[in-house]
Amino acid sequence: MGVFSFFRKIYDLDTLDTRFTISTSTPYKTVIEARDDAVASKERAAKWNSKAHTSRWNTPEFYLYYLVLILAIPYMFWVAYDASRPTDPKYRKYQDLLTDGWIPGRKIDASDAQYRTFRNNIPYMAALLVFHPLLRRIYNAIVYPIKATGQSARPTPEEADQRLNQRASFDFGFALIYLVALHGVSAFKILVILYLNYQIATALPRKYVPVATWVFNVGTLFANELCKGYKFGDMAALIAGSPVQNNLLDSGPALVSWGRWLDSYDGIMGRWEILFNITVLRLISFNLDYYWSLDRRSYSPIEKQVDPAALSERDRVSIPAQAKDFSFRNYIAYAIYAPLYLTGPIITFNDFISQLRYKPASIETSRTIRYAMRFALTLLAMEVILHYDYVQAISKANPVWGEYTAAQLSLLSYFNLHLIWLKLLLPWRFFRLWSLVDGVDPPENMIRCVSDNWSTLAFWRSWHRSFYRWSLRYIYVPLGGSSFRTAKDAARSILTYVLVFTFVALWHDIQLRLLIWGWLVVFFMLPEMAAGFLFPKRKWENRPTAYRMICCVGAVANILMMMMANLVGFAVGVDGLERIIAGIFRDFSGFMFIFCACLALFVGVQVMFEIRESEARRGINLKC
């Protein structure tokens, strides 16, 4: 295998996540068995090639697009770099936010606290990635060995139960140690919340479980924010009264002093409430999976006549775990599963238990190595960009946006969104890599580069995908989904979207700008939905090129709206966006730049369309 072929394998969709290259109803084990079947491979290729359009990569139209991209992409990087040079008069306003970098002669923009925390802890996390799976192997060999009882390659039900108990018992013990190390005495608060949620699922009458689950968990999000993590000192002050502040000798009642002493043991990450939002999703998943399982107690993979050791992803999620699996030990092992505890990706309880019982066929050493290399290359790209483009430091230094040209304002905003994408992508991929090494295959969170999205609806499917799938299963579908056949159905569907994105915004953080972001996303979906209704694809089958051009114009407008919504929610807020737009359109040059930028986006969208057609020729439809 040549170097080029190897890099193609690294950036293949199958390396990123096997869920992208096969149907959710197809067990991956059958894909492995069919790899050496040359006839079947040719038949599959012929089937999909007959449905897809002819490739446009080698047409004169796309040669023109290549020329535009060759000129535009270096120009984009140059504009952001030029605004970040030390010779720029505005450099002194944000230079204090820069630190010494590892590239000679360059400083690095580590001004973003989220990425800086991740970056500084990479050596420790890498050590944990190696230590945790090794510790499990030692535990499996010495503390909880399993003796095979059958001769077949497929595990017997007894062996599968033993594997589940072996892994869950280790995960339960490690979760308690992990919690204490991360959060100190606050681990007790987390366990109390988990215990109360477990009681809601298992002790309340069945009909009250869904409502009580949502009220409790959404209430927990608000309470965590308002009470700032329930400091023991604050709780003691409420009980015993606040200490006298001006007395240097008397620190107040003993109870308050003791509470503050406990608060001092807050572990590696004292602000546990900031990280707890992701755990809330797992708590809801456990409760609702348990609630739905009560209707299907006798349901099993055997009834569907499928191999329980080779379930498809859809079956792993939809087939309920056994009644005995909904134990408190398994619940803690799932909710505080170390590789996925801090950032996810999110995996449902049913899927988690299925993977503990049977090792997923999708976990292969060669693929995991390629995934690790892809993570390393992404980390390198992030580091290089932060050494040359100081867009985050510029935006954090209260800049006067009127001092920047229209090109600089536009491209600083554009790169700001890319850095937000990268700072989220890296932790998600690192912790998913840890999970893969440990033997659990959660969904990949980021399917496409942020520059490879043109649809608001599709963007939501590809950004934080595990959260999207969680929202579908536990919010969107129970609320009735969407339908636009009648005006009444359309109004109900829009309300469903508003409710979903309101929860998504509040889940991220209880801030007005994120609520505005969530509602903007829904608002910007409406033109796309209307365009799909007014320009149905079936009516343009005889004019595919014209239809593609119309779609491309709409896609450019979509991209501009998505950029504005995400700048409001995750970068500069409403006021910052207003100043940026005012700066871009303050003179004629700004209008000319936006016109040229829209032409470049038009070319980029055409490439995005063809990427999806190329995937269709391989039988892949990611719907995003």
Side-chain angles (χ1 to χ4, degrees):
M1 181 187 293
V3 174
F4 181 72
S5 298
F6 181 69
F7 271 91
R8 286 193 63 181
K9 289 286 287 182
I10 289 177
Y11 284 94
D12 189 73
L13 281 171
D14 190 66
T15 296
L16 197 58
D17 193 338
T18 58
R19 296 168 177 84
F20 301 156
T21 55
I22 62 171
S23 166
T24 56
S25 59
T26 303
Y28 195 74
K29 190 174 181 180
T30 62
V31 177
I32 296 175
E33 293 169 350
R35 280 176 181 167
D36 298 327
D37 191 339
V39 175
S41 297
K42 289 181 180 179
E43 289 177 352
R44 283 196 302 273
K47 174 185 174 182
W48 289 109
N49 281 328
S50 65
K51 295 181 179 181
H53 293 287
T54 304
S55 173
R56 300 186 182 93
W57 294 121
N58 292 317
T59 60
E61 176 190 354
F62 268 72
Y63 289 143
L64 175 62
Y65 296 159
Y66 300 150
L67 177 62
V68 173
L69 294 176
I70 289 171
L71 296 174
I73 293 176
Y75 172 76
M76 292 164 65
F77 279 94
W78 168 257
V79 170
Y81 167 72
D82 186 50
S84 306
R85 289 196 293 179
T87 55
D88 188 282
K90 300 177 286 294
Y91 177 81
R92 58 183 177 80
K93 294 183 179 180
Y94 59 85
Q95 63 179 344
D96 293 340
L97 297 174
L98 308 177
T99 56
D100 293 334
W102 51 267
I103 295 179
R106 296 296 303 178
K107 289 184 176 292
I108 185 171
D109 179 2
S111 58
D112 183 86
Q114 191 175 7
Y115 179 70
R116 184 171 64 248
T117 301
F118 173 78
R119 184 176 187 266
N120 293 341
N121 286 286
I122 286 177
Y124 309 107
M125 293 188 298
L128 192 57
L129 183 150
V130 174
F131 171 75
H132 173 258
L134 287 178
L135 185 62
R136 183 189 293 278
R137 288 177 177 270
I138 295 171
Y139 177 87
N140 292 350
I142 299 175
V143 180
Y144 204 128
I146 295 177
K147 295 182 180 179
T149 58
Q151 301 298 320
S152 65
R154 190 179 78 179
T156 64
E158 293 76 17
E159 289 174 335
D161 285 341
Q162 287 183 41
R163 185 178 189 273
L164 167 63
N165 289 326
Q166 180 192 61
R167 288 189 63 92
S169 60
F170 175 83
D171 289 333
F172 175 78
F174 194 87
L176 298 179
I177 298 170
Y178 193 57
L179 267 188
V180 173
L182 285 177
H183 307 308
V185 294
S186 292
F188 172 76
K189 305 169 194 174
I190 296 172
L191 291 173
V192 168
I193 294 173
L194 265 61
Y195 175 77
L196 293 175
N197 184 75
Y198 184 78
Q199 290 301 308
I200 288 172
T202 58
L204 282 182
R206 180 183 180 277
K207 62 181 180 179
Y208 300 123
V209 170
V211 173
T213 294
W214 280 106
V215 170
F216 174 77
N217 283 282
V218 173
T220 297
L221 291 177
F222 279 91
N224 288 352
E225 177 73 16
L226 296 173
C227 299
K228 302 186 185 302
Y230 321 105
K231 297 291 185 184
F232 287 111
D234 294 340
M235 290 189 285
L238 285 175
I239 297 170
S242 299
V244 179
Q245 297 297 326
N246 59 356
N247 191 336
L248 298 177
L249 299 177
D250 183 9
S251 60
L255 184 62
V256 176
S257 300
W258 186 65
R260 289 178 174 173
W261 176 77
L262 284 177
D263 287 333
S264 67
Y265 293 92
D266 56 357
I268 299 170
M269 297 180 173
R271 299 187 65 194
W272 65 271
E273 70 276 11
I274 303 298
L275 304 165
F276 193 72
N277 290 14
I278 196 80
T279 304
V280 164
L281 302 183
R282 289 190 283 267
L283 302 191
I284 294 171
S285 174
F286 174 86
N287 283 20
L288 295 185
D289 280 2
Y290 176 75
Y291 168 77
W292 289 325
S293 75
L294 297 177
D295 284 337
R296 309 168 75 184
R297 278 301 192 200
S298 61
Y299 194 73
S300 71
I302 297 174
E303 288 185 15
K304 287 192 69 176
Q305 297 182 341
V306 295
D307 180 1
L311 295 177
S312 67
E313 192 210 8
R314 180 181 298 175
D315 287 336
R316 289 204 312 261
V317 171
S318 62
I319 296 178
Q322 300 174 26
K324 63 183 179 181
D325 295 335
F326 291 94
S327 65
F328 188 71
R329 182 202 64 181
N330 292 353
Y331 167 67
I332 295 296
Y334 164 68
I336 316 295
Y337 178 58
L340 306 181
Y341 169 68
L342 292 176
T343 66
I346 306 152
I347 186 171
T348 68
F349 181 78
N350 287 342
D351 194 357
F352 181 76
I353 289 297
S354 176
Q355 293 195 44
L356 294 196
R357 185 169 266 117
Y358 299 100
K359 181 181 177 180
S362 56
I363 295 182
E364 298 175 288
T365 302
S366 59
R367 179 184 293 104
T368 303
I369 292 172
R370 293 196 301 271
Y371 188 85
M373 294 184 67
R374 184 162 179 166
F375 164 79
L377 291 170
T378 306
L379 178 62
L380 177 62
M382 178 69 158
E383 288 285 303
V384 171
I385 292 172
L386 291 178
H387 276 81
Y388 288 95
D389 295 342
Y390 301 145
V391 298
Q392 292 182 329
I394 290 172
S395 65
K396 284 178 167 57
N398 297 318
V400 178
W401 293 115
E403 297 177 349
Y404 291 90
T405 66
Q408 288 174 332
L409 285 170
S410 301
L411 291 171
L412 288 175
S413 300
Y414 185 74
F415 276 99
N416 206 348
L417 291 175
H418 280 72
L419 291 173
I420 291 170
W421 173 72
L422 280 168
K423 79 168 184 179
L424 296 173
L425 173 73
L426 286 166
W428 283 337
R429 286 205 176 156
F430 175 84
F431 287 111
R432 182 170 184 261
L433 173 62
W434 179 5
S435 181
L436 291 172
V437 172
D438 190 49
V440 174
D441 184 6
E444 171 65 27
N445 263 342
M446 292 287 199
I447 302 180
R448 302 197 187 274
C449 173
V450 69
S451 287
D452 190 15
N453 288 278
W454 56 268
S455 162
T456 310
L457 290 166
F459 179 74
W460 172 235
R461 297 188 188 111
S462 66
W463 179 290
H464 206 169
R465 185 173 175 82
S466 68
F467 189 22
Y468 160 75
R469 289 156 59 91
W470 183 96
S471 301
L472 281 184
R473 177 170 171 79
Y474 299 109
I475 307 178
Y476 180 77
V477 172
L479 287 176
S482 63
S483 172
F484 293 87
R485 287 176 295 183
T486 66
K488 183 179 178 180
D489 288 340
R492 182 191 55 78
S493 300
I494 292 170
L495 178 60
T496 296
Y497 281 118
V498 170
L499 291 174
V500 169
F501 278 96
T502 297
F503 173 80
V504 169
L506 293 175
W507 176 83
H508 277 92
D509 202 353
I510 302 172
Q511 293 185 17
L512 179 61
R513 64 181 176 87
L514 284 170
L515 272 177
I516 294 173
W517 163 79
W519 296 334
L520 278 175
V521 169
V522 177
F523 179 74
F524 290 156
M525 283 179 177
L526 299 181
E528 184 177 340
M529 294 174 182
F533 179 78
L534 295 173
F535 300 94
K537 187 175 182 180
R538 65 181 183 277
K539 292 186 177 180
W540 294 79
E541 290 179 350
N542 297 326
R543 291 174 291 172
T545 301
Y547 183 71
R548 177 162 57 91
M549 296 301 170
I550 292 172
C551 289
C552 195
V553 171
V556 170
N558 251 0
I559 290 171
L560 295 175
M561 289 189 290
M562 285 192 292
M563 288 179 65
M564 288 189 289
N566 285 297
L567 283 171
V568 168
F570 299 102
V572 296
V574 176
D575 294 338
L577 179 63
E578 288 178 352
R579 291 194 295 270
I580 289 172
I581 293 175
I584 292 173
F585 292 107
R586 67 176 177 265
D587 54 35
F588 180 73
S589 64
F591 287 91
M592 286 302 300
F593 175 80
I594 289 298
F595 175 75
C596 294
C598 288
L599 291 179
L601 287 174
F602 183 91
V603 170
V605 172
Q606 293 289 355
V607 174
M608 296 180 209
F609 287 170
E610 190 58 25
I611 288 172
R612 285 150 181 80
E613 289 293 337
S614 298
E615 291 169 353
R617 287 189 285 274
R618 297 172 54 198
I620 298 170
N621 180 15
L622 299 179
K623 298 181 180 179
C624 64

